[in-house]
Amino acid sequence: MLAKRIIPCLDVKDGKTVKGINFVNLREAGDPVDLGKLYSEQGADELVYLDITASHEKRNTFTELVKRIAENISIPFTVGGGINDIQDVERLLNAGADKVSINSSAIRNANLVNDIANNFGSQVCVVAIDAKYQNNQWKCYLNGGRLETGKELFSWAKEVADRGAGEILFTSMDHDGVKTGYANEALAYLSETLPIPIIASGGAGKMEHFKDAFIKGKADAALAASVFHFKEIAIPRLKSYLKEQGIPVR
C-alpha cells in the first residue's frame, strides 16, 4: 500500500480562510499564509487552496496570495477557483502552484481537462467534484455548490479520468463540515473503478474518520479543513494514530 496523504484545505474568501457547514454559514478561520506555513511545518503532505467564490463571482484566483503562500511552504501546493483556460493555469503555476484544481470550468468545458493534461501533464490536473446524494444517486454541483449540473458523480469521474485528469478530489456536500465521517461507500466505488488517485473530502471530525476513509473508502488522500484550522486535530498526532492503525503515512 502506498503512503496515504493528509491534506489541509484553505477555503479562501476575500483573502481570508473560511469554513462552513454544507457549503454555507461561513466563519473565519485565520490568515491563509500563516495557516499554510503552519501545516507545512507540521508535516502535512500537501496543501490545497480554493478560492471558493471566484467561479461564482466570475473572476480569477488571487495570484498575489498564491505567491505569498507558495513562498512560505515546502510541500506540494494545489490551487483552485476561477480557472477557466490554459492561461489561468500557466499564471498559477508561475505563481508557485504545483497543481491546479478545476471544477465548474471542467463541467462547462470538459476539453479543459485534456488541454491541461496535454500542455502540463496529468499530474498538474486535479478535477474537483462536489456532489449531493439525491434520489438514490450522486448529483454534481458547480459554482461552490450553488447549481445542480445534471451530471452524475461516477460517470463524470470516469469521463475526466479518461480525458487525462491526474487525480479526483471528491467532496460530499452532505458530509461537508458536519464531522460525521467521509462518504466512504462512494469513495470506495471511485477508488475501485478508476485508475487515478482519489482524494476524500467532506466529513472529517475525528481521527477515526481518516482511518475509515483510507480503509473503508480506499482513498489515496484525505483532505480536511476545520478540524485543522480550529486545532481539533493536530497533523503530527493524526499521523502517529494512523501509523498505530497500520496505515502507511509519510
Side-chain angles (χ1 to χ4, degrees):
M1 195 193 291
L2 290 171
K4 302 296 188 181
R5 291 172 287 151
I6 301 297
I7 306 178
C9 179
L10 305 174
D11 290 329
V12 177
K13 181 176 190 281
D14 304 326
K16 302 252 180 18
T17 310
V18 294
K19 188 63 198 121
I21 296 173
N22 305 129
F23 284 44
V24 293
N25 301 327
L26 302 175
R27 61 175 172 148
E28 278 191 27
D31 177 77
V33 180
D34 293 344
L35 285 171
K37 188 166 185 273
L38 173 69
Y39 297 143
S40 179
E41 288 166 354
Q42 283 186 342
D45 297 296
E46 297 184 19
L47 185 71
V48 168
Y49 161 101
L50 298 176
D51 187 336
I52 59 170
T53 55
S55 291
H56 178 61
E57 293 168 4
K58 296 185 172 58
R59 59 169 172 75
N60 292 334
T61 312
F62 292 115
T63 313
E64 283 308 310
L65 187 53
V66 170
K67 269 186 191 158
R68 283 172 47 222
I69 295 170
E71 283 163 1
N72 281 278
I73 63 175
S74 56
I75 53 177
F77 181 31
T78 301
V79 177
I83 296 166
N84 298 303
D85 52 37
I86 287 297
Q87 287 71 31
D88 288 335
V89 178
E90 199 158 16
R91 175 171 54 81
L92 292 168
L93 295 177
N94 288 337
D98 299 286
K99 310 177 195 178
V100 294
S101 170
I102 56 172
N103 184 338
S104 302
S105 57
I107 288 172
R108 293 195 181 100
N109 171 22
N111 287 326
L112 183 59
V113 178
N114 306 66
D115 292 345
I116 295 171
N118 292 336
N119 281 276
F120 305 105
S122 287
Q123 79 285 351
V124 166
C125 185
V126 180
V127 174
I129 304 177
D130 300 332
K132 268 185 198 173
Y133 194 66
Q134 295 166 312
N135 304 321
N136 295 321
Q137 62 175 332
W138 287 93
K139 288 294 182 100
C140 302
Y141 279 72
L142 50 72
N143 282 21
R146 290 174 180 84
L147 297 173
E148 193 189 318
T149 64
K151 287 190 183 291
E152 186 272 333
L153 167 65
F154 302 122
S155 56
W156 174 234
K158 182 180 186 310
E159 180 180 338
V160 297
D162 290 344
R163 284 176 176 276
E167 291 182 278
I168 285 173
L169 167 56
F170 162 53
T171 301
S172 164
M173 294 173 64
D174 306 302
H175 293 72
D176 175 69
V178 294
K179 302 184 179 180
T180 53
Y182 294 93
N184 292 317
E185 275 185 39
L187 282 167
Y189 188 81
L190 289 168
S191 297
E192 286 164 356
T193 56
L194 298 178
I196 58 174
I198 306 298
I199 304 168
S201 168
K206 50 189 183 180
M207 292 195 284
E208 289 87 334
H209 294 153
F210 289 87
K211 176 190 78 173
D212 289 344
F214 294 135
I215 293 175
K216 294 178 184 171
K218 303 181 181 178
D220 299 274
L223 176 144
S226 56
V227 290
F228 298 141
H229 301 338
F230 301 118
K231 299 184 170 51
E232 292 158 37
I233 296 176
I235 291 169
R237 175 72 195 98
L238 173 59
K239 287 196 160 187
S240 298
Y241 164 80
L242 292 170
K243 268 186 197 154
E244 287 159 16
Q245 302 298 313
I247 294 166
V249 290
R250 293 179 182 144

